[in-house]
Amino acid sequence: MKTLRSFVLALMASCASLLPAIAIADEAGGYDEITGKDLRILRKAPAISVAGYRVAFVVSNNTFAHSIGGNAFSRTIVTLSGVDTPDLQQIADEAYADLMQRLAATGRPVVPPEQVTASKGWAKLEKVEPTGDEPYAKKAFADSRLIAVFAPAALPLWWMHLDAPLGSAGPGDLANWRALNQLSVDTKSVVLTPQIVVDFAALESSGSSTLSGDASTEAKVSLRLVEQSTAVRLVQAKMAFAGEIGTAMLKKPLPLADSSGRLVNVEEWGNQSEVAFAKEMVMMNGGMSTAYDPGRSTAGQELAYVTDPAEFRTAVMDGIRRFNTMIAAAAAEVR
């Protein structure tokens, strides 16, 4: 089995049959952890439908620091390891199946997936064409994270203008918004598209300074659902050419408990010993510079987040179920 570094995408069958039956009524929890203003759109139609579901994983990240005053530089790189892309695809499939079960348990009409994909609006949606065996992956502008995105096998990946910078649609690309309006008209429903973003590490940097003599970076384990980026999009339209759109976002990071997850050192580099030796030579030379000059102080490390795939999947699915429960609770109450 190949790891995420090779981005091998193995689409798996729908995992609905793998999920145990769930009793929504027995689970406590509301939707206070997501922003509520746009949830009012849920009142615009009695039925709800799901047109997409995305689970995005940060697979690499990095941070750096430098000091002009101390002529120093530091970088830390982190990568997701120990899980295979089929594992991540399975999470996407299970996440979608879990949401559909939770929505069905609300007692609110839910448009069957086959009716969604048979609608005129679905036919108009511009889907992301698969690129060989690789999943969709993007490093957004001014963002150091490389993110791989998985959609359930039952619903191909697509993007709309509001999905920037992660999505491939530009700000002026309104085709898929119009398609969702049409889908809403076709199915007489509020159309939901949840998006989950999972990160595994928190990076810290001393930043850039002209005064400090040091530059430092570090990373620590922080498996979580990312706030704001983890959200559900809502679309409802009475006419195909115009409709309402809104977003309910996770307000705060949602920590996930992966007992086996840890950051291990893959590689270290730097010239701190040479710089220290050069400083000693200057001191021995009465403070006068010498011919030996190793250049600026540099330090770097690459760390890998290593985990047991089963425990990672369990931890992530626990968080996704919580978010799905928030969506279902809102759908049950706001109508």
Side-chain angles (χ1 to χ4, degrees):
M1 297 174 69
K2 297 184 179 180
T3 64
L4 268 175
R5 290 175 180 242
S6 62
F7 289 115
V8 176
L9 177 62
L11 287 176
M12 304 180 71
S14 173
C15 292
S17 60
L18 301 179
L19 293 174
I22 56 178
I24 302 297
D26 295 336
E27 294 193 14
Y31 54 93
D32 290 343
E33 294 178 85
I34 57 177
T35 55
K37 179 181 178 181
D38 288 342
L39 291 175
R40 59 180 174 76
I41 296 175
L42 288 168
R43 297 191 177 98
K44 299 292 183 177
I48 50 179
S49 61
V50 179
Y53 199 113
R54 312 177 193 118
V55 184
F57 297 89
V58 176
V59 296
S60 71
N61 198 358
N62 72 90
T63 188
F64 68 91
H66 67 87
S67 167
I68 298 175
N71 197 25
F73 179 83
S74 174
R75 180 182 295 277
T76 293
I77 302 170
V78 293
T79 58
L80 179 62
S81 183
V83 290
D84 299 325
T85 51
D87 291 320
L88 303 186
Q89 182 61 50
Q90 182 178 353
I91 289 174
D93 291 332
E94 288 186 8
Y96 168 64
D98 175 83
L99 176 66
M100 296 303 290
Q101 288 193 25
R102 292 179 190 277
L103 291 176
T106 65
R108 186 167 181 166
V110 179
V111 180
E114 57 271 20
Q115 186 176 336
V116 171
T117 55
S119 68
K120 294 179 181 178
W122 178 261
K124 293 181 178 180
L125 269 177
E126 298 176 357
K127 288 86 172 178
V128 175
E129 293 295 330
T131 306
D133 292 330
E134 296 183 356
Y136 176 93
K138 186 173 182 180
K139 181 181 179 298
F141 176 73
D143 192 326
S144 58
R145 297 173 297 177
L146 177 64
I147 300 178
V149 184
F150 295 79
L155 295 175
L157 182 64
W158 55 265
W159 301 103
M160 64 187 302
H161 64 295
L162 293 180
D163 295 322
L166 183 57
S168 55
D173 188 353
L174 305 181
N176 278 355
W177 184 13
R178 297 190 184 101
L180 290 179
N181 285 340
Q182 179 67 62
L183 195 156
S184 178
V185 172
D186 296 340
T187 58
K188 297 180 175 59
S189 69
V190 178
V191 182
L192 306 181
T193 306
Q195 174 176 287
I196 308 292
V197 179
V198 182
D199 202 349
F200 63 91
L203 303 182
E204 297 182 0
S205 166
S206 62
S208 301
S209 173
T210 59
L211 301 177
S212 174
D214 297 320
S216 62
T217 57
E218 61 179 332
K220 60 183 179 180
V221 172
S222 180
L223 186 64
R224 65 198 187 278
L225 299 191
V226 179
E227 72 280 13
Q228 297 186 355
S229 299
T230 297
V232 56
R233 195 86 69 199
L234 305 95
V235 172
Q236 193 278 332
K238 301 295 185 185
M239 298 173 288
F241 60 83
E244 285 194 75
I245 187 169
T247 306
M249 300 178 291
L250 187 66
K251 296 177 183 178
K252 298 179 180 179
L254 184 59
L256 307 176
D258 178 10
S259 59
S260 69
R262 64 194 187 280
L263 288 171
V264 300
N265 189 282
V266 176
E267 183 181 4
E268 289 184 343
W269 61 91
N271 65 344
Q272 297 95 321
S273 59
E274 290 87 347
V275 171
F277 178 69
K279 290 180 179 179
E280 290 181 6
M281 290 186 64
V282 170
M283 293 179 63
M284 294 174 61
N285 197 34
M288 302 291 291
S289 62
T290 68
Y292 180 69
D293 182 10
R296 71 175 179 176
S297 173
T298 62
Q301 59 178 342
E302 180 179 354
L303 306 172
Y305 182 85
V306 177
T307 181
D308 176 78
E311 292 195 25
F312 179 83
R313 188 172 66 250
T314 296
V316 172
M317 280 305 305
D318 283 346
I320 290 177
R321 290 189 187 100
R322 283 184 61 185
F323 189 70
N324 284 348
T325 299
M326 298 174 203
I327 297 174
E333 183 173 327
V334 185
R335 53 175 163 173

PDB file of all heavy atoms in Angstrom, residues 202-217:
ATOM      1  N   ALA A 202       0.402  21.774  15.131  1.00  0.00           N
ATOM      2  CA  ALA A 202       0.419  23.223  15.334  1.00  0.00           C
ATOM      3  C   ALA A 202       1.866  23.686  15.244  1.00  0.00           C
ATOM      4  O   ALA A 202       2.738  23.134  15.926  1.00  0.00           O
ATOM      5  CB  ALA A 202      -0.170  23.590  16.691  1.00  0.00           C
ATOM      6  N   LEU A 203       2.116  24.670  14.398  1.00  0.00           N
ATOM      7  CA  LEU A 203       3.470  25.175  14.181  1.00  0.00           C
ATOM      8  C   LEU A 203       3.657  26.511  14.885  1.00  0.00           C
ATOM      9  O   LEU A 203       2.741  27.339  14.920  1.00  0.00           O
ATOM     10  CB  LEU A 203       3.746  25.330  12.689  1.00  0.00           C
ATOM     11  CG  LEU A 203       3.581  24.071  11.826  1.00  0.00           C
ATOM     12  CD1 LEU A 203       3.933  24.361  10.384  1.00  0.00           C
ATOM     13  CD2 LEU A 203       4.441  22.940  12.360  1.00  0.00           C
ATOM     14  N   GLU A 204       4.839  26.708  15.432  1.00  0.00           N
ATOM     15  CA  GLU A 204       5.161  27.965  16.099  1.00  0.00           C
ATOM     16  C   GLU A 204       6.464  28.511  15.540  1.00  0.00           C
ATOM     17  O   GLU A 204       7.368  27.755  15.183  1.00  0.00           O
ATOM     18  CB  GLU A 204       5.285  27.754  17.610  1.00  0.00           C
ATOM     19  CG  GLU A 204       3.987  27.306  18.269  1.00  0.00           C
ATOM     20  CD  GLU A 204       4.117  27.144  19.773  1.00  0.00           C
ATOM     21  OE1 GLU A 204       5.234  27.388  20.289  1.00  0.00           O
ATOM     22  OE2 GLU A 204       3.134  26.769  20.420  1.00  0.00           O
ATOM     23  N   SER A 205       6.548  29.832  15.461  1.00  0.00           N
ATOM     24  CA  SER A 205       7.723  30.497  14.893  1.00  0.00           C
ATOM     25  C   SER A 205       8.021  31.764  15.680  1.00  0.00           C
ATOM     26  O   SER A 205       7.099  32.454  16.138  1.00  0.00           O
ATOM     27  CB  SER A 205       7.475  30.839  13.418  1.00  0.00           C
ATOM     28  OG  SER A 205       8.447  31.745  12.932  1.00  0.00           O
ATOM     29  N   SER A 206       9.309  32.072  15.833  1.00  0.00           N
ATOM     30  CA  SER A 206       9.700  33.331  16.465  1.00  0.00           C
ATOM     31  C   SER A 206       9.514  34.505  15.515  1.00  0.00           C
ATOM     32  O   SER A 206       9.676  35.656  15.914  1.00  0.00           O
ATOM     33  CB  SER A 206      11.152  33.262  16.947  1.00  0.00           C
ATOM     34  OG  SER A 206      12.036  33.052  15.847  1.00  0.00           O
ATOM     35  N   GLY A 207       9.187  34.209  14.255  1.00  0.00           N
ATOM     36  CA  GLY A 207       8.886  35.258  13.289  1.00  0.00           C
ATOM     37  C   GLY A 207      10.117  35.895  12.685  1.00  0.00           C
ATOM     38  O   GLY A 207      11.229  35.338  12.720  1.00  0.00           O
ATOM     39  N   SER A 208       9.916  37.063  12.135  1.00  0.00           N
ATOM     40  CA  SER A 208      11.008  37.806  11.510  1.00  0.00           C
ATOM     41  C   SER A 208      11.361  38.998  12.392  1.00  0.00           C
ATOM     42  O   SER A 208      10.474  39.718  12.860  1.00  0.00           O
ATOM     43  CB  SER A 208      10.601  38.297  10.116  1.00  0.00           C
ATOM     44  OG  SER A 208      10.241  37.207   9.294  1.00  0.00           O
ATOM     45  N   SER A 209      12.649  39.201  12.626  1.00  0.00           N
ATOM     46  CA  SER A 209      13.063  40.259  13.538  1.00  0.00           C
ATOM     47  C   SER A 209      14.366  40.891  13.069  1.00  0.00           C
ATOM     48  O   SER A 209      15.252  40.214  12.528  1.00  0.00           O
ATOM     49  CB  SER A 209      13.245  39.702  14.952  1.00  0.00           C
ATOM     50  OG  SER A 209      13.795  40.670  15.812  1.00  0.00           O
ATOM     51  N   THR A 210      14.476  42.197  13.288  1.00  0.00           N
ATOM     52  CA  THR A 210      15.735  42.912  13.023  1.00  0.00           C
ATOM     53  C   THR A 210      16.535  43.093  14.301  1.00  0.00           C
ATOM     54  O   THR A 210      17.675  43.535  14.252  1.00  0.00           O
ATOM     55  CB  THR A 210      15.450  44.295  12.415  1.00  0.00           C
ATOM     56  OG1 THR A 210      14.629  45.041  13.332  1.00  0.00           O
ATOM     57  CG2 THR A 210      14.738  44.163  11.087  1.00  0.00           C
ATOM     58  N   LEU A 211      15.939  42.764  15.448  1.00  0.00           N
ATOM     59  CA  LEU A 211      16.596  43.009  16.732  1.00  0.00           C
ATOM     60  C   LEU A 211      17.029  41.720  17.418  1.00  0.00           C
ATOM     61  O   LEU A 211      18.107  41.660  18.003  1.00  0.00           O
ATOM     62  CB  LEU A 211      15.647  43.795  17.654  1.00  0.00           C
ATOM     63  CG  LEU A 211      15.179  45.158  17.130  1.00  0.00           C
ATOM     64  CD1 LEU A 211      14.198  45.780  18.114  1.00  0.00           C
ATOM     65  CD2 LEU A 211      16.379  46.083  16.919  1.00  0.00           C
ATOM     66  N   SER A 212      16.171  40.698  17.382  1.00  0.00           N
ATOM     67  CA  SER A 212      16.489  39.457  18.080  1.00  0.00           C
ATOM     68  C   SER A 212      17.694  38.775  17.451  1.00  0.00           C
ATOM     69  O   SER A 212      17.913  38.818  16.236  1.00  0.00           O
ATOM     70  CB  SER A 212      15.284  38.515  18.041  1.00  0.00           C
ATOM     71  OG  SER A 212      15.620  37.261  18.578  1.00  0.00           O
ATOM     72  N   GLY A 213      18.460  38.113  18.306  1.00  0.00           N
ATOM     73  CA  GLY A 213      19.628  37.397  17.801  1.00  0.00           C
ATOM     74  C   GLY A 213      19.341  35.960  17.459  1.00  0.00           C
ATOM     75  O   GLY A 213      20.193  35.260  16.927  1.00  0.00           O
ATOM     76  N   ASP A 214      18.140  35.476  17.770  1.00  0.00           N
ATOM     77  CA  ASP A 214      17.803  34.077  17.561  1.00  0.00           C
ATOM     78  C   ASP A 214      16.632  33.922  16.596  1.00  0.00           C
ATOM     79  O   ASP A 214      15.830  34.837  16.420  1.00  0.00           O
ATOM     80  CB  ASP A 214      17.437  33.405  18.889  1.00  0.00           C
ATOM     81  CG  ASP A 214      18.597  33.390  19.872  1.00  0.00           C
ATOM     82  OD1 ASP A 214      19.728  33.151  19.421  1.00  0.00           O
ATOM     83  OD2 ASP A 214      18.361  33.623  21.075  1.00  0.00           O
ATOM     84  N   ALA A 215      16.556  32.758  15.989  1.00  0.00           N
ATOM     85  CA  ALA A 215      15.422  32.376  15.147  1.00  0.00           C
ATOM     86  C   ALA A 215      15.070  30.944  15.504  1.00  0.00           C
ATOM     87  O   ALA A 215      15.942  30.066  15.514  1.00  0.00           O
ATOM     88  CB  ALA A 215      15.762  32.505  13.676  1.00  0.00           C
ATOM     89  N   SER A 216      13.799  30.682  15.812  1.00  0.00           N
ATOM     90  CA  SER A 216      13.421  29.343  16.227  1.00  0.00           C
ATOM     91  C   SER A 216      12.050  28.975  15.687  1.00  0.00           C
ATOM     92  O   SER A 216      11.175  29.829  15.518  1.00  0.00           O
ATOM     93  CB  SER A 216      13.410  29.236  17.762  1.00  0.00           C
ATOM     94  OG  SER A 216      12.458  30.121  18.323  1.00  0.00           O
ATOM     95  N   THR A 217      11.864  27.696  15.407  1.00  0.00           N
ATOM     96  CA  THR A 217      10.579  27.145  14.975  1.00  0.00           C
ATOM     97  C   THR A 217      10.386  25.797  15.655  1.00  0.00           C
ATOM     98  O   THR A 217      11.358  25.108  15.977  1.00  0.00           O
ATOM     99  CB  THR A 217      10.521  26.955  13.453  1.00  0.00           C
ATOM    100  OG1 THR A 217      11.613  26.106  13.040  1.00  0.00           O
ATOM    101  CG2 THR A 217      10.613  28.286  12.717  1.00  0.00           C
TER     102      THR A 217
END
